[in-house]
Amino acid sequence: MSSEYAKQLGAKLRAIRTQQGLSLHGVEEKSQGRWKAVVVGSYERGDRAVTVQRLAELADFYGVPVQELLPGTTPGGAAEPPPKLVLDLERLATVPAEKAGPLQRYAATIQSQHGDYNGKVLSIRQDDLRTLAVIYDQSPSVLTEQLISWGVLDADARRAVATHEEA
């Protein structure tokens, strides 16, 4: 295994581990010692070669397909998660209610359910965007463009929606 490939593989392993909110020590604890922190760390740094068998076992432990761990197989995949969808609530308040009423009510409902009243921004999931698209009778990508034009979503949201629609 080339040094560069090992580093790329390690970066994918690290990305999956951190996405799951696990430290190296957390992996060791969760696996009840099956995966030693020092070994997983050496895989992630590319200092130690991982066998196909061990890679398959590690993928199983993380609950991901092996191909998610392989460099070059998932463009923009695990090493770079898509940007979050973040609504600018201050800008949303300036959009006329006849246009943004359904979105304003939806956002208020999410805030109420989460007890999140900071009033500035609100993260939403892809599922929320799909639900809003149904409410607005548009595709998620068309609705995303509309929300960007209102200044409610950042232009990076295009990438998040495109990444999700490809899946």
Side-chain angles (χ1 to χ4, degrees):
M1 180 165 28
S2 79
S3 174
E4 184 57 33
Y5 190 85
K7 286 184 188 332
Q8 290 175 5
L9 176 66
K12 291 267 197 155
L13 288 169
R14 184 177 303 106
I16 293 290
R17 175 179 56 76
T18 57
Q19 282 176 3
Q20 295 187 4
L22 291 170
S23 64
L24 288 170
H25 184 68
V27 169
E28 188 167 337
E29 285 181 348
K30 185 178 175 184
S31 70
Q32 299 173 336
R34 175 163 166 54
W35 294 101
K36 302 291 184 205
V38 68
V39 172
V40 174
S42 65
Y43 291 156
E44 290 181 3
R45 289 186 305 277
D47 294 341
R48 182 177 187 158
V50 60
T51 65
V52 173
Q53 177 65 35
R54 292 291 281 171
L55 186 62
E57 291 170 4
L58 197 51
D60 186 52
F61 171 75
Y62 286 137
V64 300
V66 174
Q67 59 267 28
E68 278 295 316
L69 302 177
L70 299 175
T73 56
T74 52
E80 184 184 340
K84 292 185 179 190
L85 298 170
V86 180
L87 297 176
D88 182 332
L89 297 176
E90 291 175 328
R91 284 297 295 262
L92 179 58
T94 68
V95 179
E98 62 270 11
K99 289 182 179 178
L103 177 56
Q104 290 166 337
R105 289 189 297 278
Y106 195 87
T109 301
I110 293 173
Q111 284 180 295
S112 173
Q113 289 173 342
H114 296 175
D116 177 10
Y117 297 103
N118 78 11
K120 295 184 189 321
V121 296
L122 179 69
S123 292
I124 62 171
R125 302 172 315 205
Q126 291 286 345
D127 288 344
D128 294 322
L129 186 66
R130 282 196 301 274
T131 299
L132 286 164
V134 170
I135 292 169
Y136 278 92
D137 195 25
Q138 297 176 344
S139 71
S141 57
V142 169
L143 179 60
T144 298
E145 290 302 322
Q146 185 172 353
L147 298 179
I148 291 169
S149 74
W150 292 349
V152 174
L153 269 181
D154 187 90
D156 280 349
R158 286 185 187 107
R159 194 164 53 92
V161 173
T163 300
H164 194 72
E165 287 179 347
E166 291 170 4

